[in-house]
Amino acid sequence: MKLKNRDGSVLAFVLVILSVFTIFAMSALHITLTNTKQVTLQQNSIQAYYFAYSGAEIAYAALLKSDNNGKSILDTFQDGNIDMGPDEIDIDGDGTDDVKVVVNYDSKKKSVLITSTGIDNSSDKSTTLKMSFNVDYPTVKLWE
């Protein structure tokens, strides 16, 4: 008689174990998909950062590049506010990089401010970087 009362208990035990494994599998799948999404977003943010960094460095190099006479763009500026840009640069077709260069001269401080915004087109992530330097000491760059 005792055996007849336990006929359905194995089926119930198997269903409980199967339910527990299903919950664990679904949890693992959810965590994996969430981590993959987070890594992709981080990768897009880093890509936008490097677009912005590259744009600022390109603008910096263009300002300091000497022509055939040994003069750079910085050497040709007069006192006052000079606004160059914004200029759009396409890097490898993966995103765009907006570069805006603003040069401010005054009697106390000669400074150049380069504002660069990198945009990753695949995710619409954007990052803005600012680099400034004193015209008398152009190799000393300040990143904001």
Side-chain angles (χ1 to χ4, degrees):
M1 284 282 224
K2 289 185 178 181
L3 288 176
K4 289 184 180 181
N5 291 338
R6 300 177 76 196
D7 284 344
S9 64
V10 173
L11 178 62
F13 180 72
V14 169
L15 288 176
V16 168
I17 295 296
L18 186 61
S19 298
V20 169
F21 282 143
T22 302
I23 290 171
F24 283 139
M26 295 301 284
S27 298
L29 180 64
H30 176 70
I31 290 170
T32 301
L33 292 175
T34 302
N35 286 344
T36 302
K37 188 176 183 180
Q38 183 179 7
V39 166
T40 302
L41 289 173
Q42 185 176 5
Q43 179 182 0
N44 293 338
S45 294
I46 290 171
Q47 184 130 5
Y49 170 83
Y50 280 116
F51 284 147
Y53 183 83
S54 297
E57 287 291 336
I58 289 168
Y60 174 77
L63 286 172
L64 296 179
K65 183 178 179 183
S66 299
D67 61 7
N68 294 338
N69 298 331
K71 297 273 186 180
S72 69
I73 295 174
L74 287 177
D75 296 332
T76 62
F77 290 146
Q78 305 296 322
D79 287 342
N81 293 331
I82 299 171
D83 186 9
M84 299 174 60
D87 190 14
E88 191 169 294
I89 301 167
D90 190 16
I91 300 173
D92 292 333
D94 293 332
T96 60
D97 188 49
D98 296 327
V99 179
K100 184 174 183 178
V101 179
V102 179
V103 179
N104 294 313
Y105 282 134
D106 59 26
S107 60
K108 297 178 184 177
K109 180 180 176 184
K110 296 178 182 178
S111 66
V112 177
L113 175 65
I114 299 172
T115 303
S116 177
T117 302
I119 302 168
D120 180 51
N121 283 337
S122 65
S123 65
D124 290 331
K125 286 282 186 185
S126 66
T127 301
T128 300
L129 296 176
K130 293 181 180 183
M131 179 189 27
S132 61
F133 62 92
N134 188 302
V135 175
D136 294 331
Y137 307 101
T139 57
V140 180
K141 300 182 268 188
L142 175 66
W143 289 92
E144 300 174 24

